[in-house]
Amino acid sequence: MQTIVIAGGGAGGLELATRLGDRLGRRRRARIVLVDRSPTHIWKPLLHEVASGKLDPQVHQVEYSAQAAHHHFEFVHGEVTSVDRDARIIDVGACHGGDGLERQPGRKLRYDKLVLAFGAVTNFFGIPGAAEHSMTLDSVSQAEQFRQRLVALCIQKGLRRESGAEPDAKVNVVIVGAGATGVELAAELHHTAHALAKYNIHALDPARDVRIRIVERGERILPQLDAKLARNAEQYLRSLGIDVSTGSGVARVTSDAVHDDAGNVHASDITLWAAGVEGPQVCAALGLRLNRLRQILVGPSLQTIDDPKVFAIGDCSSHICSVNGTVIPPRAQAAHQQAVFLASVLGKAGVDQLPHFQYRDYGSLVSLGPFVAVGVLIGRLGKLGNRGVVVDGILARVLYRLMYRKHVLALHGFASMVAQTISHWLRDRLAPPVKLH
Ligand SMILES: Cc1cc2nc3c(=O)[nH]c(=O)nc-3n(C[C@H](O)[C@H](O)[C@H](O)COP(=O)(O)OP(=O)(O)OC[C@H]3O[C@@H](n4cnc5c(N)ncnc54)[C@H](O)[C@@H]3O)c2cc1C
């Protein structure tokens, strides 16, 4: 029986483990092992909602051990640190709890086929001060830190304004990068500041005292969307009172400001860096060829170009479409399609002459807060061949929520997805719109 090890249980890796477990593990046609450094999974596109307090990560997380038990794969908790490709063994580091005590010892896992699905980390592009003074949204804990810092700052500044110690106290949030993550976060934060004020958590006037600014090097926001849609989205952000500064890159970041290369200084109490991603450090420790963003180079069947028994999917990989030469973007829909593809080919005994993966871009949807989204749908969903159809408003918002439901469907099946949707809907009706502490 062959052993297939999947390193990283994110949007791609967990779906792959679930599909392979159901397909091969259940009938004992292969041993499927998933390794992740965290005990729980959350779908990464939800992280801006965790950061804004709109979403409680505990409600949406998946316990890897439970998923493994239900879907016939094994889960190993620990960080993959290196791979011995000659011996076909991966090293998994020991796991420690919050008290510093060892929970799981380090261990070695043998594989016949290995799938690397480590995701990506924030790319600071070497900008001085960016890594030291910016927060990021790479994990649930970082999103939670951001949220707690925002709430604490709003409370502190409100008290200073009330006591007269700082009569014009403000909270300045600067988001670097106007891709989907930066724009979605800015829109959510606007609503968070208002919701916190409504529940008397802070004494600031959210419209006047909580300043949210997006700084973008490109000439416009949301480069993945059509120019008119991006203009509409920018107008909508401005109507919320969000400042949008395009056309100048960040030159340096300090503890209290973001300096752009046009000489502007944007005061900042919290800087959130959302300007790009790169492969995590572990990619450089595997002896595999990488691109300049430290992503692992893979061929048409998603095998790494240096080792046909090692595959890579999702944000940690670099796959160039053999038909039109386009680079597959670091998106959840790409990780999902790659997981579906590998689930159908990894059961084969050999690694030669595997079919080729073909990426289909189904478009992009960007959320602009609780009630609005914009985007373009292409292909089957858009029903317009490859031209795409523009959607916005409530329809786009509903379709945006469906993207997550699709992920839940892939992990848990239809009945659980419906039950979860109803329970989340009820919870949203009963709980405050954002976390208040
Ligand atoms: C705020 C935000 C919003 C986004 N919005 C969208 C969107 O609207 N649409 C869209 O298509 N995409 C979106 N994305 C991008 C999308 O989340 C990623 O493209 C997708 O999650 C990539 O999937 P992945 O499986 O490659 O990696 P991930 O989902 O990042 O998972 C990687 C996994 O690997 C684990 N891991 C990492 N290193 C190790 C190690 N050394 N050992 C063990 N485990 C390890 C991590 O714990 C994690 O579980 C968004 C991303 C962010 C941050």
Side-chain angles (χ1 to χ4, degrees):
M1 189 162 70
Q2 64 166 329
T3 299
I4 302 172
V5 173
I6 302 157
L14 181 57
E15 183 172 343
L16 177 60
T18 302
R19 286 177 183 272
L20 285 175
D22 288 342
R23 192 169 293 180
L24 306 177
R26 183 198 293 268
R27 296 190 202 104
R28 303 192 56 76
R29 281 172 48 206
R31 178 179 170 228
I32 312 298
V33 184
L34 175 70
V35 187
D36 202 286
R37 60 185 173 194
S38 165
T40 56
H41 159 85
I42 192 160
W43 197 54
K44 219 174 167 186
L46 298 178
L47 286 184
H48 67 279
E49 295 187 31
V50 176
S52 68
K54 186 175 158 197
L55 187 140
D56 183 346
Q58 300 220 326
V59 174
H60 290 261
Q61 71 192 9
V62 178
E63 296 271 358
Y64 285 118
S65 300
Q67 185 74 3
H70 293 149
H71 293 275
H72 317 282
F73 64 88
E74 294 166 38
F75 173 60
V76 173
H77 183 195
E79 180 153 353
V80 175
T81 49
S82 63
V83 179
D84 178 342
R85 289 196 286 112
D86 294 329
R88 279 194 256 137
I89 286 175
I90 67 167
D91 274 312
V92 181
C95 263
H96 297 88
D99 51 9
L101 293 178
E102 189 174 283
R103 293 279 187 277
Q104 298 271 3
R107 70 197 98 163
K108 293 183 184 297
L109 295 173
R110 206 196 60 75
Y111 66 85
D112 295 298
K113 291 173 191 157
L114 173 65
V115 181
L116 305 172
F118 295 124
V121 294
T122 298
N123 188 347
F124 295 102
F125 300 100
I127 301 214
E132 293 84 343
H133 300 297
S134 308
M135 303 189 84
T136 54
L137 286 188
D138 288 340
S139 65
V140 172
S141 59
Q142 291 172 2
E144 271 286 303
Q145 272 172 29
F146 177 91
R147 187 188 67 74
Q148 286 169 4
R149 181 134 169 224
L150 178 74
V151 174
L153 269 168
C154 287
I155 295 172
Q156 284 161 16
K157 297 268 183 164
L159 290 174
R160 291 183 70 75
R161 191 179 261 274
E162 270 187 334
S163 69
E166 197 182 338
D168 60 351
K170 286 189 175 32
V171 174
N172 292 297
V173 181
V174 176
I175 297 168
V176 180
T181 303
V183 165
E184 290 180 337
L185 179 67
E188 289 294 346
L189 291 183
H190 165 85
H191 293 281
T192 299
H194 282 74
L196 292 174
K198 189 176 144 203
Y199 285 89
N200 296 319
I201 301 300
H202 62 72
L204 298 174
D205 171 351
R208 183 194 59 197
D209 307 329
V210 181
R211 308 300 314 162
I212 302 165
R213 174 183 290 277
I214 303 177
V215 178
E216 164 62 43
R217 183 178 53 178
E219 289 306 320
R220 67 175 175 95
I221 69 167
L222 297 173
Q224 77 274 35
L225 291 189
D226 122 321
K228 184 162 173 279
L229 263 186
R231 256 196 321 276
N232 292 348
E234 184 173 330
Q235 268 169 18
Y236 180 75
L237 292 177
R238 289 188 193 280
S239 75
L240 298 178
I242 295 167
D243 296 317
V244 181
S245 156
T246 50
S248 38
V250 171
R252 71 193 167 94
V253 182
T254 56
S255 60
D256 58 359
V258 172
H259 302 248
D260 73 20
D261 49 22
N264 301 308
V265 180
H266 307 293
S268 179
D269 299 297
I270 318 182
T271 303
L272 189 287
W273 196 269
V277 294
E278 61 183 355
Q281 281 296 344
V282 64
C283 291
L286 309 176
L288 297 166
R289 263 176 288 174
L290 311 172
N291 68 9
R292 63 186 172 80
L293 292 175
R294 214 190 291 129
Q295 292 162 310
I296 301 159
L297 299 179
V298 296
S301 305
L302 306 183
Q303 290 158 298
T304 58
I305 58 173
D306 298 298
D307 188 338
K309 289 190 160 39
V310 179
F311 298 73
I313 61 171
D315 290 3
C316 73
S317 67
S318 170
H319 178 267
I320 297 171
C321 175
S322 52
V323 180
N324 55 20
T326 53
V327 178
I328 293 183
R331 286 210 202 138
Q333 64 164 311
H336 154 72
Q337 289 179 36
Q338 291 175 328
V340 172
F341 170 79
L342 279 194
S344 70
V345 302
L346 283 179
K348 297 186 197 323
V351 288
D352 299 328
Q353 296 186 332
L354 297 180
H356 289 185
F357 169 71
Q358 273 211 320
Y359 174 65
R360 287 200 63 180
D361 186 352
Y362 289 111
S364 293
L365 287 169
V366 179
S367 160
L368 296 175
F371 310 111
V372 186
V374 290
V376 179
L377 299 179
I378 303 171
R380 226 173 29 199
L381 284 172
K383 293 191 183 1
L384 281 178
N386 286 329
R387 271 175 36 234
V389 59
V390 169
V391 285
D392 56 12
I394 293 287
L395 173 64
R397 180 73 214 169
V398 170
L399 292 170
Y400 180 84
R401 295 311 300 179
L402 284 180
M403 292 193 310
Y404 173 49
R405 295 297 157 203
K406 212 173 148 207
H407 178 65
V408 176
L409 177 69
L411 296 187
H412 304 300
F414 185 73
S416 293
M417 187 271 285
V418 172
Q420 279 196 26
T421 306
I422 294 170
S423 95
H424 293 159
W425 185 83
L426 285 173
R427 203 178 176 282
D428 288 351
R429 300 280 89 60
L430 299 172
V434 296
K435 253 177 127 173
L436 301 177
H437 55 85

